C-alpha cells in the first residue's frame, strides 16, 4: 500500500515506517500505554493513553525530525538545517540535529511559550522569533533556507517526517493489538497520516479519528473541497495543532485513510487537560489533550478498545494555570460572581458567612468602591470561588440571592 498526492515528495509506505522504526532504535523511546479507568467507564470500552508526552523532548516530533535529518546527504548536512515550529517540532529538530552533528536554526512564533523557546536553545539550536502564527513562521524559515542553502525541515509535509511519526502507530499495534479505534490530534496532519499508514496497512478494520480545535480546523473545509485550503487567523490555545492549512503530503493520506475528523472546543480542551492531570497524573499540553477532549465530548461515538494519542506535554506553566482554571469553570468547580452590598463595617464578613454555610471556598476577593454605577453607600465585591460542580454553583447563587444580594455571574 502506498499513498501520496501529486505534490508529495514521494509516497509513504509501511516499509518506510518500518525502516524509520529501525533508524529510531536507541533514539526515540517506546512510550508507555496507560489504561484510563475513568475514560473507560465513560466510553463503555477500554481506553488507553499512548503517552508521547513522555517521549524525549516531550512530544512525538523527535521521531519525524530525526528520520528526516538522518536521511540527508553529507553535503546537505554540511549546509545545516532550518525549521519552523511553535515548540515541539523545534525541540525535535534541535535534539535530532545535535545527535547527528548538524547545525540547526529554528524559527518560532513570537508568542511561543518561553519554556519551549528555552528548551529548543538548550538542545543546541539557534532560535529566531518571527510571526504570530506557524504559517508566518514557516514562510520566514523557507526564505532563510533559500537564502542560505540550509535544508528546510518541514514539521509535517514530508514523507520522511510522516514515516517517523508513523512509528507511533506500529507501537500502538504492538502494545494494544486488539485496538478498535485510534484517536489522534491533528494540525498539519503528519502524525495522523503516519499512524494511519502504519495501522491501516496492518489492520484496515481499525477506525482512525482525527481531532482538531474548533478555532483551527482546516481539515473539514479542505476535505470538503478535495484539496488543502487555508483558514483565516486560526485561534486556539492548543498551539501544537494551530495550523492554518493542511500539508499536501499528509492531506492525501488523511483523505484516503482517516475515517473521521472531529473538532473540540476550548472548554473541552481545558476539561481534558484537567482530567489528564487529575485522573491520569499526566502533564499534557492542550494539543496533546485533544483526543481526550473528543472522548469527553461524545463518549458513545468510539468503538473500543480505544487508544488516545497524548501527543505532547510541553505546556507553559502560565497557560497551564489559565487552562486549569478554565477547565474547573467548565466543570462547575470554579465560579466568579459579583455582588453589590452596603459599604459598611461587617458587610463583607456577613457575605463571607453566607458562602461559608454553603461550603464555597473563597479563592480571591476584590472590592470596587469608585465605579460611577455604584451608589454613594454601595460597594461591589468580585469573588472567585472553588465549588463542587454545577449543582453546587446553583446552590451558591441561590443562597446569595436568598440573603438579599444582587448577583452577577
Amino acid at each position: 500500500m502506498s499513498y501520496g498526492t501529486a505534490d508529495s515528495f514521494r509516497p509513504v509506505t509501511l516499509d518506510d515506517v518500518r525502516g524509520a522504526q529501525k533508524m529510531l532504535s536507541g533514539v526515540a523511546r517506546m512510550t508507555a500505554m496507560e489504561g484510563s479507568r475513568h475514560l473507560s467507564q465513560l466510553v463503555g470500552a477500554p481506553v488507553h493513553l499512548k503517552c508521547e508526552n513522555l517521549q524525549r523532548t516531550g512530544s512525538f516530533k523527535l521521531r519525524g525530525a530525526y528520520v528526516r535529518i538522518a536521511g540527508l546527504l553529507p553535503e546537505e548536512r554540511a549546509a545545516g538545517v532550518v525549521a519552523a515550529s511553535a515548540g515541539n517540532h523545534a525541540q525535535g529538530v534541535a535534539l535530532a540535529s545535535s545527535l547527528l552533528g548538524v547545525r540547526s536554526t529554528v524559527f518560532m512564533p513570537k508568542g511561543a511559550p518561553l519554556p519551549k523557546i528555552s528548551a529548543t536553545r538548550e538542545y543546541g539550536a539557534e532560535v529566531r522569533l518571527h510571526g504570530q502564527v506557524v504559517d508566518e513562521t514557516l514562510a520566514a524559515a523557507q526564505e532563510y533556507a533559500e537564502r542560505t542553502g540550509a535544508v528546510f525541515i518541514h514539521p509535517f509535509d514530508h514523507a520522511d517526517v510522516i514515516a517517523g511519526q508513523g512509528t507511533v502507530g506500529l507501537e500502538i499495534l504492538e502494545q494494544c493489538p486488539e485496538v478498535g479505534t485510534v484517536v489522534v490530534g491533528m494540525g498539519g496532519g503528519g502524525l495522523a497520516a503516519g499512524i494511519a499508514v502504519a495501522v491501516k496497512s496492518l489492520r484496515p478494520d481499525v477506525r482512525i479519528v482525527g481531532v482538531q480545535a474548533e478555532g483551527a480546523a482546516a481539515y473539514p473545509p479542505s476535505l470538503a473541497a478535495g484539496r488543502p485550503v487555508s483558514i483565516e487567523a486560526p485561534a486556539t490555545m492548543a498551539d501544537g495543532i494551530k495550523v492554518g492549512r493542511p500539508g499536501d503530503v499528509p492531506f492525501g493520506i488523511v483523505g484516503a485513510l482517516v475515517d473521521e475528523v472531529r473538532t473540540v472546543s476550548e472548554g473541552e480542551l481545558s476539561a481534558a487537560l484537567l482530567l489528564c492531570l487529575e485522573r491520569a497524573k499526566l502533564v499534557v499540553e492542550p494539543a496533546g489533550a485533544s483526543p481526550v477532549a473528543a472522548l469527553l465530548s461524545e463518549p458513545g461515538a468510539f468503538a473500543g478498545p480505544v487508544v488516545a494519542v497524548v501527543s505532547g506535554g510541553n505546556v507553559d506553566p502560565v497557560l497551564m494555570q489559565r487552562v486549569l482554571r478554565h477547565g474547573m469553570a467548565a466543570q462547575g468547580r470554579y465560579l466568579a460572581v459579583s455582588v453589590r452590598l452596603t459599604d459598611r463595617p461587617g458587610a463583607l464578613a456577613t457575605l463571607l458567612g453566607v458562602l461559608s454555610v454553603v461550603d464555597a471556598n473563597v479563592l480571591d476577593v476584590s472590592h470596587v468602591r469608585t465605579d460611577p454605577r455604584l451608589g454613594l453607600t454601595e460597594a461591589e465585591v468580585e469573588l472567585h470561588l472553588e465549588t463542587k460542580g454545577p449543582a453546587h454553583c446553583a446552590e451558591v447563587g441561590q443562597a446569595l440571592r436568598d440573603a438579599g444580594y444582587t448577583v452577577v455571574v
Side-chain angles (χ1 to χ4, degrees), residues 50-122:
K50 176 60 172 167
C51 301
E52 281 296 290
N53 59 310
L54 303 180
Q55 185 57 261
R56 296 179 69 179
T57 74
S59 87
F60 70 96
K61 290 288 192 175
L62 172 65
R63 298 173 183 264
Y66 188 90
V67 172
R68 172 75 173 101
I69 297 169
L72 296 178
L73 298 172
E75 56 269 27
E76 292 176 318
R77 292 194 188 193
V81 300
V82 59
S85 167
N88 288 341
H89 179 61
Q91 292 175 69
V93 168
L95 178 56
S97 298
S98 294
L99 293 173
L100 293 164
V102 178
R103 184 180 70 258
S104 62
T105 302
V106 176
F107 285 75
M108 303 180 74
K110 293 179 180 178
L114 292 178
K116 293 186 178 183
I117 295 172
S118 298
T120 303
R121 287 181 173 137
E122 289 172 7

Side-chain angles (χ1 to χ4, degrees), residues 338-341 343 365-375 378-382:
S338 293
V339 177
R340 288 193 182 182
L341 45 73
D343 190 12
V365 178
S366 176
H367 258 94
V368 177
R369 293 184 172 88
T370 57
D371 194 307
R373 297 173 302 156
L374 299 174
E378 285 185 320
E380 187 170 84
V381 178
E382 182 177 322

Side-chain angles (χ1 to χ4, degrees), residues 135 217-219 221-222 225 227-234 243-246:
D135 300 272
Y219 263 93
S222 296
R227 58 181 176 81
V229 297
S230 298
I231 59 172
E232 293 294 328
V243 178
R245 182 186 184 278

Side-chain angles (χ1 to χ4, degrees), residues 28-284:
R29 302 185 180 112
M30 175 183 278
T31 51
M33 181 86 75
E34 298 287 345
S36 171
R37 181 180 302 175
H38 180 72
L39 288 172
S40 297
Q41 290 174 342
L42 286 177
V43 172
V47 175
H48 305 279
L49 305 178
K50 176 60 172 167
C51 301
E52 281 296 290
N53 59 310
L54 303 180
Q55 185 57 261
R56 296 179 69 179
T57 74
S59 87
F60 70 96
K61 290 288 192 175
L62 172 65
R63 298 173 183 264
Y66 188 90
V67 172
R68 172 75 173 101
I69 297 169
L72 296 178
L73 298 172
E75 56 269 27
E76 292 176 318
R77 292 194 188 193
V81 300
V82 59
S85 167
N88 288 341
H89 179 61
Q91 292 175 69
V93 168
L95 178 56
S97 298
S98 294
L99 293 173
L100 293 164
V102 178
R103 184 180 70 258
S104 62
T105 302
V106 176
F107 285 75
M108 303 180 74
K110 293 179 180 178
L114 292 178
K116 293 186 178 183
I117 295 172
S118 298
T120 303
R121 287 181 173 137
E122 289 172 7
Y123 286 127
E126 177 189 346
V127 174
R128 301 190 180 192
L129 302 179
H130 184 92
Q132 300 299 326
V133 297
V134 172
D135 300 272
E136 296 173 355
T137 311
L138 279 170
Q142 289 168 330
E143 187 278 331
Y144 177 89
E146 293 171 1
R147 177 166 47 84
T148 65
V151 179
F152 178 64
I153 308 299
H154 200 285
F156 49 80
D157 208 8
H158 193 282
D160 288 344
V161 172
I162 293 171
Q165 321 304 27
T167 59
V168 176
L170 294 181
E171 292 180 12
I172 289 172
L173 293 179
E174 181 178 343
Q175 294 170 301
C176 185
E178 70 280 11
V179 61
T181 305
V182 176
V183 190
V184 55
M186 292 173 56
L191 178 61
I195 288 175
V197 169
V199 172
K200 289 285 193 178
S201 295
L202 296 169
R203 286 279 311 281
D205 58 305
V206 174
R207 185 171 177 80
I208 309 293
V209 178
V211 183
Q212 294 206 285
E214 285 180 354
Y219 263 93
S222 296
L223 292 170
R227 58 181 176 81
V229 297
S230 298
I231 59 172
E232 293 294 328
T236 175
M237 63 180 162
D239 60 281
I241 54 175
K242 186 180 177 181
V243 178
R245 182 186 184 278
D248 291 321
V249 185
F251 177 80
I253 300 171
V254 168
L257 298 180
V258 171
D259 297 284
E260 180 185 6
V261 177
R262 289 175 167 260
T263 61
V264 292
S265 68
E266 299 297 283
E268 288 164 344
L269 287 169
S270 298
L273 189 149
L274 183 61
L275 183 144
C276 288
L277 185 64
E278 288 190 327
R279 298 300 184 99
K281 314 308 177 189
L282 294 173
V283 175
V284 180

